[in-house]
């Protein structure tokens, strides 16, 4: 079994300029998918309609996006499309996740994200991701 970098951190889901709620987010990095990071959110924070299978037994919502996007967003506003990352007030980082159902703004302690990225780089150093890619397996998954 391969080593992974996984960390559960506290974050804040921003509801309005003056309201937010705490939530736990699981950050995961898999060397088998060296270009990506995963953010897992509790199912109760889903924007899906009730009765769609969410509830106490529902799985976490997982967003997958580029590790490089997360790293660059700690310093300067970054991202196009569904995921944007940018520095926020104080020692915070704001991650904006866009879906057809709506947009979620999640604020993290930047130190938590830096620690997670450091742990991911211990497994696969930046610039060496290509050494961990398995093109045959990726193609089989796409066709599979």
């Amino acid at each position: 079994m391969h080593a992974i970098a996984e960390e559960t951190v506290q974050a804040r889901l921003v509801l309005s300029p003056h309201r937010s709620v705490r939530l736990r987010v699981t950050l995961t990095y898999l060397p088998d998918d060296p270009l990506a990071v995963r953010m897992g959110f509790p199912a109760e924070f889903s924007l899906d309609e009730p009765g769609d299978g969410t509830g106490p037994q529902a799985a976490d919502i997982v967003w997958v996006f580029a590790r490089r996007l997360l790293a660059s967003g700690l310093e300067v506003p970054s991202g196009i499309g569904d995921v944007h990352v940018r520095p926020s007030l104080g020692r915070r980082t704001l991650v904006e996740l866009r879906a057809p159902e709506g947009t979620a703004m999640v604020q993290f302690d930047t130190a938590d994200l830096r620690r997670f990225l450091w742990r991911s780089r211990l497994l696969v150093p930046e610039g060496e991701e290509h050494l961990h890619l398995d093109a045959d397996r990726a193609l089989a998954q796409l066709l599979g």
Side-chain angles (χ1 to χ4, degrees):
M1 183 169 183
H2 295 286
I4 66 170
E6 187 168 84
E7 204 163 319
T8 300
V9 299
Q10 291 295 316
R12 300 209 62 87
L13 177 63
V14 179
L15 303 173
S16 75
H18 304 289
R19 273 190 55 215
S20 64
V21 295
R22 289 178 54 152
L23 73 153
R24 118 191 109 67
V25 178
T26 302
L27 306 169
T28 307
Y29 179 79
L30 307 169
D32 289 347
D33 191 5
L35 297 171
V37 294
R38 289 162 171 72
M39 284 188 175
F41 299 90
E44 63 263 22
F45 289 96
S46 173
L47 294 174
D48 291 334
E49 295 296 322
D52 61 0
T54 59
Q57 301 303 317
D60 284 355
I61 301 131
V62 178
W63 282 73
V64 181
F65 57 94
R67 176 171 74 165
R68 179 173 283 165
L69 170 60
L70 182 60
S72 66
L74 299 180
E75 307 303 328
V76 296
S78 302
I80 56 173
D82 295 342
V83 180
H84 295 251
V85 182
R86 67 178 179 265
S88 187
L89 296 175
R91 295 182 177 137
R92 305 271 185 236
T93 298
L94 193 63
V95 176
E96 181 178 338
L97 305 168
R98 299 175 182 177
E101 301 82 7
T103 299
M105 306 284 277
V106 185
Q107 189 175 60
F108 291 87
D109 183 329
T110 302
D112 290 340
L113 297 177
R114 286 189 193 285
R115 183 176 53 251
F116 168 72
L117 286 168
W118 175 77
R119 291 182 61 214
S120 79
R121 291 175 184 132
L122 290 176
L123 297 174
V124 177
E126 223 170 283
E128 293 184 15
E129 293 90 351
H130 66 283
L131 300 174
H132 296 265
L133 291 172
D134 183 347
D136 291 333
R137 184 173 58 88
L139 185 58
Q141 286 177 337
L142 284 174
L143 299 175

